[in-house]
Amino acid sequence: MPLISQDDAETLRTIFDERMQDDVTITYFTQRESPLFIPGATECQTCGQTRELLQEVADLSEKISLDVKDFVADSADAEEMGIERIPAFVLQGHTQGAVRFFGIPAGYEFATLVEDLVDVSTGATDLSTKTRDALGEIDEDIHIQVFVTPT
Amino acid sequence: MAIESPHVTADVVEASEFPDLAQRYRLYAVPKTVVNDKVQVEGGMREPQLLQLVLAAVGGDEQSES
């Protein structure tokens, strides 16, 4: 049973068709889903569902592709992207810095994901000139974390 | 901001899945924005406010408000 309703899928398809410009890759870090119980291994409760949701999103546009990586097997990639917990995904496209999501993108986070997919595909933002100028002056790392819960 | 600047990493974190983070950042109310583990604001914010938060973080000032 799909996680995104047919109506919502149609709406999203339209949004992506009208607003997306260049390709975006969602690089998704998860754990290998296995029916086996491995003693001592931490189970990622939402990894499977997150993967399903991201696949459904990717299926809504030819410009969105999903690249699934295993947190353990692809640990070098995880380390390069600074991923220390899963589920986590990174949007790759027209972005100079990193746009990352942690946890299943439900509720408000899903709307943010949709907007970010569009923005990363165009590289355009609504930031004011003042903000752009201020960011241009900063040459140290800035880590912004926005904590949300599904609503 | 991350799209605009190579120095910015922007994370959206679904707090209920990471209780250790909820505890670490004392997430009694969301949304909550934390910059460089130094400054934080509870509640939604507009661009000018986020810019102030970022500037406060790189300026080295400790600041938190709700």
Side-chain angles (χ1 to χ4, degrees):
Chain A
M1 174 140 178
L3 294 169
I4 301 175
S5 73
Q6 206 163 0
D7 285 345
D8 286 345
E10 276 313 305
T11 303
L12 290 169
R13 224 176 250 120
T14 304
I15 291 173
F16 291 142
D17 280 348
E18 289 177 359
R19 297 176 58 195
M20 285 202 64
Q21 188 174 293
D22 295 325
D23 293 346
V24 175
T25 298
I26 302 173
T27 301
Y28 173 52
F29 290 91
T30 182
Q31 68 182 23
R32 195 165 42 132
E33 291 141 41
S34 165
L36 297 175
F37 173 69
I38 302 164
T42 308
E43 198 188 315
C44 172
Q45 303 280 351
T46 57
C47 275
Q49 204 171 30
T50 302
R51 180 200 185 123
E52 203 183 316
L53 182 59
L54 292 178
Q55 188 60 67
E56 286 183 25
V57 169
D59 288 344
L60 294 172
S61 171
E62 285 177 359
K63 295 180 179 171
I64 303 173
S65 58
L66 180 64
D67 182 15
V68 181
K69 293 197 182 280
D70 185 284
F71 186 57
V72 175
D74 299 308
S75 60
D77 293 328
E79 197 177 321
E80 191 186 321
M81 295 189 190
I83 303 297
E84 295 174 350
R85 49 187 74 235
I86 55 174
F89 53 101
V90 184
L91 303 189
Q92 318 263 52
H94 291 302
T95 175
Q96 302 207 48
V99 178
R100 314 187 306 180
F101 289 74
F102 295 87
I104 187 165
Y108 177 75
E109 201 177 337
F110 189 77
T112 305
L113 169 59
V114 173
E115 282 303 315
D116 282 356
L117 282 167
V118 170
D119 288 348
V120 170
S121 82
T122 64
T125 67
D126 292 332
L127 295 176
S128 68
T129 308
K130 181 181 175 183
T131 299
R132 277 183 236 264
D133 289 346
L135 285 176
E137 298 285 309
I138 298 171
D139 61 7
E140 53 185 277
D141 288 341
I142 301 164
H143 185 198
I144 303 172
Q145 296 179 86
V146 182
F147 295 94
V148 298
T149 52
T151 48
Chain B
M1 288 192 174
I3 290 172
E4 199 66 37
S5 165
H7 295 291
V8 177
T9 295
D11 295 343
V12 178
V13 184
E14 206 285 85
S16 62
E17 287 181 54
F18 306 106
D20 62 314
L21 291 179
Q23 201 165 30
R24 180 178 165 186
Y25 292 103
R26 294 181 212 170
L27 300 178
Y28 302 127
V30 288
K32 185 170 193 175
T33 303
V34 179
V35 182
N36 285 4
D37 276 354
K38 279 186 192 175
V39 296
Q40 52 189 295
V41 171
E42 284 180 352
M45 64 170 67
R46 299 204 175 279
E47 184 187 320
Q49 198 181 355
L50 179 57
L51 177 60
Q52 285 310 309
L53 203 64
V54 167
L55 292 175
V58 299
D61 299 329
E62 289 275 347
Q63 212 182 92
S64 77
E65 56 186 85
S66 44

